[in-house]
Amino acid sequence: MSAGLSVRGLSAGYNGLVVVREASLDVAPGEVVTMLGPNGAGKTTTLLSIVGALRPMAGSITFDGEDITKKGTDAISRLGLVLVPDSRGIFFDLTVKEHFRLAVAKGDKDGLDAILDRFSALRPLLNRRAGLLSGGEQQMLALGKALVMKPKVLMIDEMSLGLAPLIVQSLMPIIRQAAEEDGMGVLLVEQHIEMALRFADRGVVLNRGEIRFEGPASELLANRDEVEASYLART
Ligand SMILES: Nc1ncnc2c1ncn2[C@@H]1O[C@H](COP(=O)(O)OP(=O)(O)OP(=O)(O)O)[C@@H](O)[C@H]1O
Ligand SMILES: [Mg+2]
């Protein structure tokens, strides 16, 4: 069986209402895939189903050859499939150091120094409460905390939410570095089409719960007009 994440025919939703319909996608080790799509397309629902926070209605999810469709969130994160949620999963009353301590308990102690080298702006802030950090610093903490867990595949929901483009552009290379050096696969949900496609290897476009496009990021970028038009598709 193949390494990485493989989603086949995933349908998911809430209270019996289907909002993601037969979606299939793959993330190979070291590969950066971006998932694009308008508000309400079903991007977050897809991620929540993959990590076991929402029970899929149909389909299968395989991770490193293992069927994880019915596993719970803790078991899935222990296997190395980690989600940075759009809420960033940060506790405002805990300090930066305390966040890392919690994450290190699940991961690799030696890795912490390496992570702080990558997010050097967090070093002087180790004793600050997370609620007092700027939006960009909070996102660095969310990413750093996830990377300490040495994920095999990292999924990030709307990394750029509320952040200045310059800050997002400074975070992208850190993710790329982890993909290249550690062979980490990345599934990045983004609203900014062009920025995401310039960064990713491959893209999938979701609208109204269905995958409308997928292909190499360069191809989607070259057909940007069609990609944008698919955002407006009603069927
Ligand atoms: N807890 C919930 N209960 C009922 N419906 C929900 C729930 N969460 C999301 N939905 C609905 O499911 C659909 C898909 O939502 P989802 O959050 O997956 O979209 P999204 O692509 O992540 O959008 P955005 O870009 O705004 O984050 C939407 O119509 C939304 O209203
Ligand atoms: Mg969302």
Side-chain angles (χ1 to χ4, degrees):
M1 290 292 270
S2 59
L5 172 68
S6 179
V7 177
R8 288 289 166 274
L10 174 73
S11 294
Y14 308 91
N15 311 317
L17 199 70
V18 179
V19 300
V20 173
R21 214 167 276 106
E22 292 177 31
S24 297
L25 64 97
D26 294 277
V27 183
E31 183 183 40
V32 178
V33 179
T34 185
M35 186 192 285
L36 304 168
N39 294 123
K43 305 179 297 296
T44 298
T45 302
T46 302
L47 297 188
L48 292 177
S49 306
I50 292 173
V51 296
L54 192 65
R55 178 63 53 94
M57 292 166 158
S60 67
I61 304 161
T62 314
F63 186 60
D64 274 353
E66 189 173 343
D67 186 347
I68 59 163
T69 317
K70 295 204 164 101
K71 285 193 189 294
T73 49
D74 285 349
I76 288 173
S77 83
R78 273 198 303 275
L79 288 173
L81 179 55
V82 172
L83 170 66
V84 178
D86 51 5
S87 61
R88 293 174 185 157
I90 278 176
F91 305 101
F92 282 13
D93 286 337
L94 293 188
T95 65
V96 171
K97 201 195 275 173
E98 285 164 342
H99 276 90
F100 278 124
R101 255 195 223 127
L102 283 177
V104 164
K106 298 186 198 166
D108 169 12
K109 274 198 181 62
D110 303 332
L112 179 54
D113 249 358
I115 301 292
L116 287 173
D117 284 343
R118 285 180 185 171
F119 296 99
S120 50
L122 287 180
R123 261 194 207 284
L125 304 172
L126 281 171
N127 292 315
R128 186 168 299 178
R129 275 192 285 144
L132 301 177
L133 298 175
S134 73
E137 289 161 353
Q138 283 179 5
Q139 189 58 278
M140 274 186 220
L141 174 58
L143 287 173
K145 186 166 93 88
L147 287 177
V148 167
M149 293 167 75
K150 296 232 162 190
K152 290 181 189 160
V153 170
L154 178 65
M155 305 197 294
I156 310 168
D157 198 356
E158 308 243 359
M159 183 169 81
S160 55
L161 203 70
L163 299 184
L166 263 180
I167 292 178
V168 180
Q169 273 162 23
S170 72
L171 295 174
M172 296 271 191
I174 300 173
I175 296 166
R176 175 56 79 180
Q177 188 187 10
E180 279 174 8
E181 290 178 7
D182 309 335
M184 180 181 81
V186 179
L187 180 58
L188 181 78
V189 164
E190 253 306 327
Q191 288 284 350
H192 296 99
I193 303 175
E194 184 159 344
M195 189 168 58
L197 289 175
R198 288 194 187 288
F199 169 67
D201 303 312
R202 241 162 18 83
V204 296
V205 183
L206 199 69
N207 190 9
R208 301 202 159 224
E210 291 181 29
I211 292 182
R212 310 279 169 178
F213 270 102
E214 67 169 301
S218 54
E219 249 171 52
L220 293 185
L221 205 51
N223 296 300
R224 222 190 118 155
D225 289 351
E226 270 181 75
V227 170
E228 279 177 5
S230 78
Y231 271 47
L232 306 172
R234 297 223 152 255
T235 52

